[in-house]
Amino acid sequence: MTDADVAAPDAALIAFPDTPERRLRRALRQLDAALEQQRVAVAAFRSEVEALNGAVAGLGASTDRLRGALGDAALEAERARAASHELLATADAFEAAARR
């Protein structure tokens, strides 16, 4: 008798009985896997929050520098305005002197 003679056309897999203990173990493995995924996700979230915190701090520093630069520019603009008024007054005085 050979292997070909032993063909089992009626062969079928028999399901292994699923006991409550096996279901509980499977559920616990799935829970462990879910908790690990959650740990990874929380770590990634914390990393992103730290990166965002750094970006916001950098933005704050840039804002402070810009505020200082705008303040300096406003002072320079006021000095230029005052100098232009002084020059206009001087030009008016020269024009008035030239008319005499």
Side-chain angles (χ1 to χ4, degrees):
M1 185 178 227
T2 66
D3 287 339
D5 295 333
V6 184
D10 295 335
L13 291 177
I14 298 174
F16 212 69
D18 200 12
T19 65
E21 182 180 339
R22 287 184 185 197
R23 285 194 308 270
L24 179 60
R25 285 183 184 176
R26 188 171 48 248
L28 287 174
R29 283 193 305 272
Q30 291 170 347
L31 179 60
D32 283 341
L35 288 173
E36 181 59 29
Q37 289 175 350
Q38 186 179 29
R39 279 190 281 278
V40 169
V42 167
F45 176 74
R46 286 181 178 163
S47 176
E48 293 299 320
V49 168
E50 288 176 18
L52 181 61
N53 189 26
V56 169
L59 211 60
S62 294
T63 301
D64 290 342
R65 287 192 302 274
L66 180 61
R67 186 176 293 126
L70 287 174
D72 292 345
L75 288 174
E76 289 297 319
E78 180 56 33
R79 286 186 199 129
R81 188 193 63 76
S84 70
H85 283 289
E86 187 178 321
L87 285 173
L88 283 174
T90 302
D92 288 343
F94 282 146
E95 186 179 354
R99 287 185 188 162
R100 289 188 203 153

